[in-house]
Amino acid sequence: VSAVVLSGLFVGLIYGLLAIGLVLTYRVSKVINFAYGETGMLAAFVYLQMRTGVTTEGFSVGTDRGVLLPLLAALVVGAVIGVLLEITVVRPSRKSSALNGMVGTVAWSLLLIAIANSIYGPNVHQGKPLWDSPGIQVLGLQLSSSQLLTAACTVVIVTVLFLVYRFTSVGLRLRATAVDPYAASLSAINVNLTSTVTWGLAGALSALSAILISGIQGSFDLFFMTVLALRAFIAALAGGLTSLWGGFAAGVVLGLGEAVIQFKTPVTGITELVVATGILALMVVRRGGVVRAQY
Amino acid sequence: MAIAAATACSVSAPRNGVLVADEAGVAGANGLTGVTPDGQPVPDGVAVAGAEPAGAAVGPAAGGGSTVTGASGAVGGAESSGSGTDGGTSGSGSAAGPSGGGGGAGTAGGDGGSKAAGPNAVGVTASSITISVSAGYSGIYGALFTDWVDNGFGTWVADVNARGGVNGRKIAYKKVDNADSAEGGVAACKTILSNGTFFPVTFAGLNGADANLVSCVDKAGMPSMTGALTQFNTSWKHAYSFATNANSALQLSGLIKNVARSDSQNVGLLYVDDPYFSAAADVFVKDAPKKGVRIVNTQKVSSNQASFVSEMTRMRDAGAKTVVIIAGGEAIGAIRDAKSISYSPQFIGLLWQADEVAKAAGGLFQGVFALRQWATTDTPQYRKFVALARKHGKDPTSSGGMVGYGVGLTLERALAGMGSGGSWADFERGIQTVTNYNNGYSWPVSWGAGVRQARFGQFPLKCCNGDNTWASAGPAAFDF
């Protein structure tokens, strides 16, 4: 059981990591980014291509060209997509409706899948971990180096974001924009710039998440982030969509819960059923999420 | 007949979704027109040679954009004379005959169809046969299927034509996309019934695309040859299967006992809860006890599940020493998570045995046994295939191209078996002449008189070669 719980914890960390990115952008724009997973997916392909070289068929993995440059390029790609999303979808929706923005992000997700499909093809590709070592045995579960790295990155990212938001002037501007963009702009805060930077940051975070996850899974395709992002949406929703810690914690709980349900109730689909029921119940009982944002 | 077929499937001759390639694998200039072996364009929907509609079917099967008027009740066909005019504006025929044949006479591009007469079906002349080749070209595995067809089947077409064709008839083909969807299968059927081809060969179609396609053309009386159906529907009258995913599980027990020589009394089964995989799992569950294999634990998983630790823990706790995995890419996660809990049974694979998956898994599959329908890259057949493909200007990107090539070789047998006849009935008789045929490239198959669902064999595999492609664990056989 301990191995199952530990495994669930690591899956939960992934959900939590993705939920953070969703919360980041929602806070600043009130737009749910449905292209979040696909942003990371495309960046992960860029990372793989720069690191090993892939063909459209996707299976010819070449010589390893090192981590740094491919990682940097992928982060830049993720950030650029995030910025483009903000400029083309979020900013216009600020003058109309957040719903327009959300529909716009759905369109972007389809566009990103189409782009990735045309460049890299639809087949399964071998993931290339950022850090490849045998890993360690903990409570009967062999933890891979990718899992450990993901856990470490998640803790660092959550902590840094918390500190930035809480104790820096940048964080103050971000929080002010999240609470009331109009009032923030009256206080000489460049709301557009703040929003753009946040979306860019979230794009880079999605890229990093996708690269880490592709390393854990060992393989990935066009839709590998889509399924995970759905779980992240649930976690973010449980976190009220505005609390970084809330979203993260909900992701971890979701991963743990799934693992335990899956182990204790060997009925196919029961996990999805329980999760869906839980979300529906949450929507009815506590529409603002379990955790309220503290700006 | 083709018009009757069209009626049966409510055909309105849609042209979208049709991809056409010539024998060299190059798409036709307008994306809709195929190329004959002689390099002449094959107008979409042109009826070739005589037709045999009962009553008087008029016009080609949706050919050349002309108005199609088909007499109902054409099934049964006609041993007919037919006539048509260039462009397929009209055609007529009379007299009953065996099934098969076009709904009206028309002309073949550059083939002088207007003067042709006889029992040939649409898509058949004395010098050519045009067939549809369907797969999910635009689906998620589109690149793979495109490779199989362009480089595999295309190699056979180029080669057989270089050898003079089959019974003097050169082969042309048109690619028809089934989009890996149920509605895509029906749309593909409609296209096939109106694009001037003799019959379809379907390579794959997920989500019921292939079954819908076969059902639809079957209702029209058109024969079909299908490569990887999920399951064969015994109510079909003119459908011929090379193999079905469900029955590919019939050889698992033999593989476990006689090839992998693994523990056959403590077998676990893990499969994805999806009809594509569960059909095979059901067959294995029923077949295993008959062959002395005892299943001690069964786990169903969802596609794209994030973790398999729970399932693998239960499997280990049940004492399974051999674990059969019937899944797709989920196999990677399942084996990865088994290893993460230090659980190392003998894994046996079904339906995830493409080299691409093994490569994507890195070295994770080492020691795993599996079954698949085409030869491995370490065999003489693969070297011969690659050499032949390159000779004809192809560039196969994976060993899966041998499926297309092997299917072509099998088809060649069937076409040879129909002799100089050109009706659907002749073709069905030709298929039934193919018995115990093993070309070494793809499934060994055996039909025989009255048999439409071939008995088929597979290739035993063991992972892996140095480049992480599957290695051969012996020759293909009907059983192990």
Side-chain angles (χ1 to χ4, degrees), chain B residues 355 372 375-383 399 402 461-462 464-465 469-473:
Chain B
D355 287 332
R372 81 175 183 198
T376 50
T377 57
D378 56 347
T379 57
Q381 282 81 9
Y382 181 67
R383 289 189 287 278
S399 62
M402 280 188 287
L461 324 169
K462 184 177 183 184
C464 286
N465 293 313
T469 57
W470 290 94
S472 171

Coordinates of all heavy atoms in Angstrom, one line a residue, chain B residues 355 372 375-383 399 402 461-462 464-465 469-473:
Chain B
D355 N 7.4 -1.7 -33.9 CA 8.8 -1.3 -33.6 C 8.8 0.1 -33.0 O 9.6 0.5 -32.2 CB 9.7 -1.3 -34.8 CG 10.0 -2.8 -35.2 OD1 10.0 -3.6 -34.3 OD2 10.2 -3.0 -36.4
R372 N 3.0 -10.5 -33.5 CA 2.6 -9.5 -34.5 C 2.4 -10.1 -35.9 O 2.8 -11.2 -36.1 CB 3.5 -8.3 -34.5 CG 4.8 -8.4 -35.3 CD 5.5 -7.1 -35.3 NE 6.7 -7.1 -36.1 CZ 7.7 -6.2 -36.0 NH1 7.7 -5.3 -35.1 NH2 8.8 -6.3 -36.8
A375 N 7.0 -9.4 -40.3 CA 8.3 -9.9 -39.9 C 9.1 -8.8 -39.2 O 8.8 -7.7 -39.3 CB 9.0 -10.4 -41.1
T376 N 10.2 -9.3 -38.6 CA 11.0 -8.3 -37.8 C 12.2 -7.8 -38.7 O 12.4 -8.4 -39.8 CB 11.6 -9.0 -36.6 OG1 12.2 -10.2 -37.0 CG2 10.5 -9.2 -35.6
T377 N 12.8 -6.8 -38.2 CA 13.9 -6.2 -39.0 C 15.2 -7.0 -39.1 O 16.0 -6.7 -39.9 CB 14.3 -4.8 -38.4 OG1 14.7 -5.0 -37.1 CG2 13.1 -3.8 -38.5
D378 N 15.2 -8.1 -38.3 CA 16.5 -8.9 -38.3 C 16.3 -10.1 -39.2 O 17.0 -11.1 -39.1 CB 16.8 -9.3 -36.9 CG 15.7 -10.1 -36.2 OD1 14.6 -10.0 -36.7 OD2 16.0 -10.7 -35.1
T379 N 15.3 -10.1 -40.1 CA 15.0 -11.2 -41.0 C 15.4 -11.0 -42.4 O 15.5 -9.8 -42.8 CB 13.5 -11.6 -41.0 OG1 12.8 -10.4 -41.4 CG2 13.0 -12.0 -39.6
P380 N 15.7 -12.0 -43.2 CA 16.0 -11.8 -44.6 C 14.8 -11.1 -45.3 O 15.1 -10.4 -46.3 CB 16.2 -13.2 -45.1 CG 16.5 -14.1 -43.9 CD 15.8 -13.4 -42.8
Q381 N 13.6 -11.4 -44.9 CA 12.4 -10.8 -45.6 C 12.5 -9.3 -45.5 O 12.2 -8.6 -46.4 CB 11.1 -11.3 -44.9 CG 10.7 -12.7 -45.3 CD 11.5 -13.8 -44.5 OE1 12.2 -13.5 -43.6 NE2 11.3 -15.0 -44.9
Y382 N 12.9 -8.8 -44.3 CA 12.9 -7.3 -44.2 C 14.0 -6.8 -45.1 O 13.7 -5.7 -45.8 CB 13.3 -6.9 -42.8 CG 13.3 -5.4 -42.6 CD1 12.1 -4.7 -42.7 CD2 14.5 -4.8 -42.3 CE1 12.2 -3.3 -42.5 CE2 14.5 -3.4 -42.1 CZ 13.4 -2.7 -42.2 OH 13.4 -1.3 -42.1
R383 N 15.1 -7.4 -45.2 CA 16.2 -6.9 -46.1 C 15.7 -6.9 -47.6 O 16.0 -6.0 -48.3 CB 17.5 -7.7 -45.9 CG 18.2 -7.4 -44.6 CD 19.5 -8.1 -44.5 NE 19.5 -9.5 -44.3 CZ 19.3 -10.1 -43.1 NH1 19.1 -9.4 -42.0 NH2 19.2 -11.4 -43.0
S399 N 9.3 -1.2 -40.2 CA 9.1 -2.5 -40.7 C 7.6 -2.8 -41.0 O 7.3 -3.7 -41.7 CB 9.6 -3.5 -39.6 OG 8.8 -3.3 -38.4
M402 N 6.0 -3.9 -44.2 CA 5.9 -5.3 -44.7 C 4.4 -5.8 -44.6 O 4.1 -6.7 -45.3 CB 6.8 -6.2 -43.9 CG 8.2 -6.1 -44.4 SD 9.3 -7.4 -43.6 CE 9.4 -6.7 -42.0
L461 N 7.8 -12.8 -31.4 CA 8.9 -11.8 -31.2 C 9.5 -11.8 -29.9 O 8.8 -12.3 -28.9 CB 8.3 -10.3 -31.4 CG 7.2 -10.1 -32.4 CD1 6.7 -8.7 -32.2 CD2 7.8 -10.2 -33.8
K462 N 10.7 -11.4 -29.8 CA 11.3 -11.1 -28.4 C 12.0 -9.8 -28.5 O 12.7 -9.5 -29.5 CB 12.2 -12.3 -28.1 CG 12.8 -12.1 -26.7 CD 13.6 -13.3 -26.2 CE 14.1 -13.1 -24.8 NZ 15.0 -14.1 -24.3
C464 N 14.9 -7.3 -27.5 CA 14.9 -6.4 -28.7 C 16.2 -6.6 -29.4 O 17.2 -7.0 -28.8 CB 14.7 -5.0 -28.3 SG 13.1 -4.5 -27.8
N465 N 16.2 -6.1 -30.6 CA 17.5 -5.9 -31.3 C 18.2 -4.7 -30.7 O 17.7 -4.0 -29.9 CB 17.2 -5.6 -32.8 CG 16.6 -6.8 -33.5 OD1 17.1 -8.0 -33.3 ND2 15.6 -6.6 -34.3
T469 N 14.3 -2.4 -31.9 CA 13.2 -2.9 -32.6 C 13.0 -4.4 -32.2 O 13.9 -5.0 -31.6 CB 13.5 -2.9 -34.1 OG1 14.7 -3.6 -34.4 CG2 13.6 -1.5 -34.7
W470 N 11.8 -4.9 -32.4 CA 11.6 -6.3 -32.0 C 12.4 -7.3 -32.8 O 12.7 -7.1 -34.0 CB 10.1 -6.7 -32.2 CG 9.2 -6.0 -31.3 CD1 8.5 -4.8 -31.5 CD2 8.8 -6.4 -30.0 NE1 7.7 -4.5 -30.4 CE2 7.9 -5.4 -29.5 CE3 9.1 -7.5 -29.2 CZ2 7.3 -5.5 -28.2 CZ3 8.6 -7.6 -27.9 CH2 7.7 -6.6 -27.4
A471 N 12.9 -8.3 -32.1 CA 13.7 -9.4 -32.7 C 12.8 -10.6 -33.0 O 11.8 -10.8 -32.3 CB 14.9 -9.8 -31.9
S472 N 13.2 -11.4 -34.0 CA 12.4 -12.6 -34.3 C 12.6 -13.6 -33.2 O 13.7 -13.8 -32.8 CB 12.9 -13.1 -35.7 OG 12.3 -14.4 -35.9
A473 N 11.5 -14.3 -32.9 CA 11.7 -15.4 -32.0 C 11.3 -16.7 -32.7 O 10.9 -17.7 -32.1 CB 10.8 -15.2 -30.7

